[in-house]
């Protein structure tokens, strides 16, 4: 009898600890995700502030200055305002597509943050397909734009949605061989492996020096994917009012706004990871040799430093797209497609073959 | 599908990120005022009454570009497994991949000559 009861107790406690363990696992799954989402939201707020301040600087204005110190809370105030605005649904449009469109755009772009290493081996999921997942997921966003353009039942929106889809699929093609050459250099598609392959020679180990053509093509294509100014044809305000966003108001417009800045942030983070050495400190001839390995240290300090380095590189890189916005005029649709298909695609294929040949010699 | 535990976090992230628009819609639904009118809800056409639907025929060119996109996207996807194990596979597979890329380039030249890449 005694033995029996202990057995039952043992089984009971076992099952209880099992369920507890499952709960703990779930919590350990959710904590990093919520931290990342929170960090991304802060990052987007910073990006909006940065864009407005730099734009103001380029145009010799003052820029936002009243909301918070140096206007840092301006983006938050704008977002809150959009929450309080009336959400208009066009009477003749397809309401379901109209609402799903912006959601798909935001979700698909947010999902690409899954594979970005923010610090030393600090990544939500170190998937072996890594960058490939990003490429696959980033093709979903145009579906959302097309849906919202179609669902609005407005001529401007429809044209804008079509243009957005055509543009992002056209520039996806040159982007893919560039990423392919990077994963060929490090023999892996995992973002962590790609960063570690660049860690050897500090500053000179960056893929930027090994892939200058690829970097240029990547930069142009990612500008087009983000619909940034030389390529912002879907929203060309002189011809299409606001493109696929014409009928949107309130928080749905806010979602599109967030999606565009999320896209900008993710592409600059990917430039950091693929070409600029990710979390590596990157200065080889520094006086204190211990500093070189500082971000490979475990612990809170090393992690903080490596996150700081990644974000600093990404945000410094952002100055290029933002100043480009106020420097270059918008292209025409045929020029845009010609640039994508007849110039960038052959160049990126050539770059791929060049990379393979040089890798062949080093085998 | 269920054996890939590596992707658990992907599904969790998908669920949480799809909560963001839902939450935004709910909050805005509670907070935002509703003050509708027939003119407010009609679609915008530079201030005049909208003429007809927007759901009509559009340029065939968009469809052509989509077709060419599908071809090239699928073909570059096939190159990924090769690039990831390039150091193992060596020269012979490199030649095969070279032939593959050349076929890709021939396809591009064909599409170009046929005028599939012309906008006007």
């Amino acid at each position: 009898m005694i033995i029996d009861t202990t057995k039952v107790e043992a089984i009971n406690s076992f099952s209880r600890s099992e369920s507890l363990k499952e709960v703990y696992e779930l919590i350990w799954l959710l904590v990093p995700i919520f931290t990342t989402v929170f960090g991304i939201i802060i990052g987007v707020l910073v990006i909006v502030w940065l864009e407005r301040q730099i734009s103001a600087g380029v145009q010799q204005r003052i820029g936002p200055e009243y909301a918070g110190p140096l206007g840092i809370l301006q983006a938050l105030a704008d977002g809150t305002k959009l929450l309080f605005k009336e959400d208009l649904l066009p009477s003749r449009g397809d309401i379901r597509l109209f609402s799903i469109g912006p959601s798909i755009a935001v979700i698909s772009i947010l999902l690409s943050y899954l594979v970005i290493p923010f610090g030393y081996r600090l990544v939500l999921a170190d998937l072996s397909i890594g960058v490939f997942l990003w490429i696959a997921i980033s093709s979903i966003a145009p579906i959302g734009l097309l849906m919202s353009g179609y669902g609005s039942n407005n001529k401007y929106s429809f044209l804008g949605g079509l243009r957005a889809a055509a543009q992002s699929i056209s520039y996806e093609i040159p982007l893919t061989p560039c990423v392919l050459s990077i994963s060929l250099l490090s023999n892996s598609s995992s973002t962590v492996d790609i960063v570690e392959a660049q860690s050897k020679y500090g500053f000179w180990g960056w893929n930027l020096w090994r892939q200058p053509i690829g970097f240029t093509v990547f930069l142009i294509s990612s500008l087009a994917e983000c619909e940034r100014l030389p390529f912002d044809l879907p929203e060309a305000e002189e011809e299409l009012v606001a493109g696929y966003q014409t009928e949107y108001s309130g928080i749905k417009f806010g979602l599109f706004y967030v999606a565009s800045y999320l896209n900008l942030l993710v592409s600059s983070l990917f430039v950091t990871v693929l070409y600029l050495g990710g979390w590596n400190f990157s200065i080889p001839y520094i006086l204190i040799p211990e500093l070189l390995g500082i971000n490979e240290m475990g612990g809170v300090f090393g992690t903080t430093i490596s996150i700081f380095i990644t974000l600093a590189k990404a945000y410094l890189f952002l100055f290029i797209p933002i100043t480009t916005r106020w420097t270059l005029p918008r292209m025409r649709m045929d020029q845009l497609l010609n640039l994508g298909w007849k110039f960038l695609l052959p160049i990126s294929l050539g770059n791929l073959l060049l990379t393979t040949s040089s890798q062949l010699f080093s085998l | 599908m269920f054996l890939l535990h590596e992707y658990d976090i992907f599904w969790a992230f998908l669920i949480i990120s799809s909560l963001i628009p839902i939450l935004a819609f709910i909050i805005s639904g509670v907070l935002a005022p509703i003050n509708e009118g027939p003119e407010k809800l009609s679609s915008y056409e530079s201030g005049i009454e909208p003429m007809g639907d927007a759901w009509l025929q559009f340029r065939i060119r968009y469809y052509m570009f989509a077709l060419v996109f599908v071809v090239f996207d699928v073909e570059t996807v096939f190159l990924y497994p090769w690039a990831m194990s390039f150091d193992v596979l060596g020269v012979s597979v490199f030649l095969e991949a070279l032939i593959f890329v050349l076929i890709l380039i021939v396809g591009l030249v064909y599409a170009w000559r046929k005028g599939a890449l012309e906008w006007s």
Side-chain angles (χ1 to χ4, degrees):
Chain A
M1 281 302 283
I2 294 166
I3 298 167
D4 276 348
T5 49
T6 47
K7 257 186 190 168
V8 169
E9 271 176 5
I11 289 166
N12 272 340
S13 69
F14 180 70
S15 66
R16 203 178 300 133
S17 71
E18 271 295 284
S19 64
L20 261 181
K21 208 176 156 190
E22 272 179 12
V23 168
Y24 276 129
E25 270 179 6
L26 198 69
I27 288 173
W28 276 118
L29 201 68
L30 293 183
V31 164
I33 293 176
F34 277 115
T35 322
T36 319
V37 170
F38 186 68
I40 292 166
I41 291 168
I42 302 277
V44 168
L45 293 183
V46 171
I47 245 183
V48 174
W49 176 77
L50 203 63
E51 164 135 42
R52 297 184 68 160
Q53 286 290 354
I54 296 171
S55 307
V58 170
Q59 298 173 335
Q60 301 188 329
R61 303 183 274 118
I62 295 172
E65 59 167 345
Y66 291 112
L70 290 173
I72 214 160
L73 296 177
Q74 186 64 49
L76 204 63
D78 286 348
T80 321
K81 181 200 76 179
L82 283 177
L83 268 180
F84 283 98
K85 288 290 172 189
E86 188 179 353
D87 184 22
L88 290 175
L89 302 168
S91 53
R92 298 190 307 155
D94 190 324
I95 302 303
R96 265 178 306 164
L97 289 183
F98 189 78
S99 306
I100 295 171
S103 323
I104 285 186
V106 168
I107 293 167
S108 63
I109 293 165
L110 206 57
L111 273 179
S112 357
Y113 286 87
L114 195 71
V115 290
I116 292 178
F118 289 98
Y120 178 64
R121 292 183 178 277
L122 192 73
V123 55
L124 267 186
D126 181 15
L127 302 173
S128 52
I129 55 169
V131 284
F132 192 63
L133 185 85
W134 172 53
I135 291 199
I137 284 174
S138 66
S139 330
I140 298 175
I143 300 176
L145 305 184
L146 206 54
M147 271 182 176
S148 54
Y150 183 82
S152 304
N153 198 358
N154 177 327
K155 281 141 202 156
Y156 299 120
S157 304
F158 191 45
L159 271 177
L162 281 176
R163 277 189 183 186
Q167 175 175 333
S168 49
I169 64 174
S170 298
Y171 281 82
E172 182 108 9
I173 300 285
L175 198 78
T176 320
C178 293
V179 177
L180 190 65
S181 348
I182 294 290
S183 64
L184 209 131
L185 282 178
S186 48
N187 283 316
S188 167
S189 285
S190 157
T191 41
V192 173
D193 289 346
I194 287 172
V195 174
E196 295 210 321
Q198 303 175 55
S199 65
K200 272 179 199 158
Y201 310 104
F203 181 66
W204 298 110
W206 288 1
N207 277 337
L208 173 62
W209 312 121
R210 297 208 276 173
Q211 290 278 322
I213 307 169
F215 177 72
T216 319
V217 174
F218 189 93
L219 181 65
I220 297 172
S221 316
S222 63
L223 272 182
E225 290 270 307
C226 297
E227 289 157 15
R228 299 286 302 174
L229 199 87
F231 308 106
D232 75 334
L233 283 120
E235 299 157 35
E237 55 265 23
E238 289 88 358
E239 8 174 340
L240 290 184
V241 188
Y244 53 84
Q245 306 172 353
T246 307
E247 290 291 325
Y248 282 87
S249 65
I251 196 61
K252 284 174 189 156
F253 173 76
L255 283 181
F256 272 129
Y257 193 74
V258 167
S260 74
Y261 282 101
L262 276 177
N263 212 348
L264 188 62
L265 183 60
V266 84
S267 62
S268 74
L269 278 168
F270 262 105
V271 166
T272 311
V273 166
L274 296 178
Y275 292 97
L276 303 182
W279 66 73
N280 291 305
F281 190 60
S282 305
I283 301 174
Y285 307 115
I286 196 142
L287 294 171
I288 316 154
E290 288 88 50
L291 265 179
L292 205 76
I294 200 163
N295 40 21
E296 288 179 17
M297 274 173 10
V300 181
F301 182 66
T303 315
T304 319
I305 290 283
S306 57
I307 291 175
F308 177 74
I309 291 170
T310 315
L311 291 183
K313 281 175 181 171
Y315 279 106
L316 283 178
F317 173 78
L318 271 177
F319 277 76
I320 298 176
I322 294 173
T323 44
T324 311
R325 177 175 177 182
W326 301 109
T327 320
L328 296 177
R330 183 184 300 129
M331 304 177 83
R332 259 192 348 249
M333 192 67 189
D334 58 328
Q335 289 173 334
L336 174 101
L337 291 168
N338 279 351
L339 179 72
W341 288 99
K342 297 183 179 171
F343 185 71
L344 291 182
L345 175 59
I347 281 188
S348 63
L349 280 178
N351 180 51
L352 176 68
L353 287 182
L354 207 69
T355 316
T356 356
S357 322
S358 66
Q359 278 294 95
L360 206 63
F361 285 118
S362 66
L363 267 183
Chain B
M1 200 76 177
F2 296 100
L3 293 175
L4 296 168
H5 286 298
E6 208 182 349
Y7 290 87
D8 280 355
I9 197 154
F10 172 81
W11 297 114
F13 197 57
L14 179 64
I15 291 166
I16 287 170
S17 51
S18 46
L19 283 181
I20 289 177
I22 294 171
L23 218 70
F25 288 162
I26 290 173
I27 294 173
S28 148
V30 171
L31 293 178
I34 298 171
N35 185 16
E36 290 172 344
E39 279 169 349
K40 205 175 192 180
L41 294 184
S42 74
S43 49
Y44 176 79
E45 241 179 77
S46 305
I48 53 170
E49 292 270 312
M51 303 256 286
D53 257 353
W55 297 333
L56 30 87
Q57 291 178 332
F58 57 92
R59 252 183 115 91
I60 188 75
R61 287 283 156 222
Y62 290 108
Y63 183 67
M64 295 298 284
F65 277 99
L67 270 183
V68 183
F69 163 75
V70 169
V71 173
F72 277 90
D73 211 34
V74 172
E75 278 180 322
T76 41
V77 162
F78 282 129
L79 286 172
Y80 264 87
W82 162 70
M84 283 160 78
S85 45
F86 181 74
D87 51 344
V88 188
L89 294 173
V91 181
S92 59
V93 184
F94 165 72
L95 290 176
E96 284 170 26
L98 189 70
I99 293 167
F100 189 76
V101 173
L102 285 179
I103 293 172
L104 245 160
I105 291 172
V106 168
L108 177 68
V109 170
Y110 178 75
W112 196 329
R113 290 280 298 275
K114 279 284 174 184
L117 305 180
E118 302 296 332
W119 182 249
S120 47

